[in-house]
Amino acid sequence: MQQRSFDRNVRKDEFKDKVLDLRRVTRVTAGGKRFRFRATVVIGDERGRVGVGVAKGLDVAQAVAKGRSEAKKTLITVPIVGRTIAHQVEAKFSAAQVRIKPAKEGHGLIAGGAVRIVLSLAGVRDATAKCLGRTPNKLTNALATIEALRKLKQIANRKPASPARLAEDPAKPAGGAQIVSEIVPSGA
């Protein structure tokens, strides 16, 4: 009996994906209706990178494959502190509004629907999230979550204030900037 040798150097894809939403969309033409499928796909490596992609295709498999490649183009890096995020963040996208709060280790990921999928694929294990908007649309909730994680990235990259600088003078703003205000009498 002959044994087959498999190429062990084939690189497995580093991203996990999850189909968030799948819809059948219709285009009405003169000859009738044309059906296509729209797939919303979330991909992430569970180590801080996550992306959302939306694509249409003639069948479900084609729509999912195109959505996956679109999600790879929109990857963002999320700064994860331990198993959670650094601070509370809130964002709005269209009608969706999302608030994400950090949590203690072992608390778990408490979030609903699309927000839970995006955060888990990003690698956040302990956090609390709430959809504040009234929309049930999974796509806009996922994109609002991505916007919130983008804000987190921008704020987390700022230089923290040193204790020596904070002890100088609490009335002075951080960074040595001075506030100059002058009151001018209205009659003068």
Side-chain angles (χ1 to χ4, degrees), residues 38-109:
R38 186 191 78 180
T40 304
V41 181
V42 181
I43 66 167
D45 62 354
E46 296 183 340
R47 289 190 307 267
R49 292 193 302 168
V50 68
V52 176
V54 182
K56 294 178 191 166
L58 294 174
D59 60 348
V60 174
Q62 182 185 23
V64 170
K66 287 168 75 174
R68 188 174 163 74
S69 66
E70 284 295 316
K72 282 185 180 179
K73 294 176 188 174
T74 64
L75 280 175
I76 65 166
T77 303
V78 180
I80 297 175
V81 180
R83 294 169 38 118
T84 188
I85 57 176
H87 54 83
Q88 177 177 328
V89 66
E90 192 172 322
K92 185 177 186 319
F93 182 88
S94 186
Q97 188 172 357
V98 173
R99 179 182 296 153
I100 307 170
K101 293 181 180 181
K104 294 180 184 176
E105 189 166 339
H107 182 265
L109 182 59

Side-chain angles (χ1 to χ4, degrees), residues 154-172:
Q154 292 169 354
I155 293 172
N157 287 338
R158 289 185 186 167
K159 185 178 173 185
S162 66
R165 200 169 52 172
L166 292 174
E168 288 175 4
D169 186 10
K172 276 188 184 177

Side-chain angles (χ1 to χ4, degrees), residues 14 36 43 48 79 176:
E14 60 186 322
R36 287 188 173 208
I43 66 167

Side-chain angles (χ1 to χ4, degrees), residues 118-173:
V118 172
L119 289 176
S120 68
L121 286 175
V124 177
R125 296 283 166 254
D126 297 313
T128 303
K130 181 72 178 167
C131 293
L132 302 173
R134 293 192 54 206
T135 180
N137 190 332
K138 294 177 185 176
L139 172 61
T140 54
N141 283 327
L143 292 174
T145 307
I146 293 288
E147 285 300 314
L149 294 176
R150 270 199 190 109
K151 282 185 179 180
L152 181 71
K153 180 181 177 188
Q154 292 169 354
I155 293 172
N157 287 338
R158 289 185 186 167
K159 185 178 173 185
S162 66
R165 200 169 52 172
L166 292 174
E168 288 175 4
D169 186 10
K172 276 188 184 177

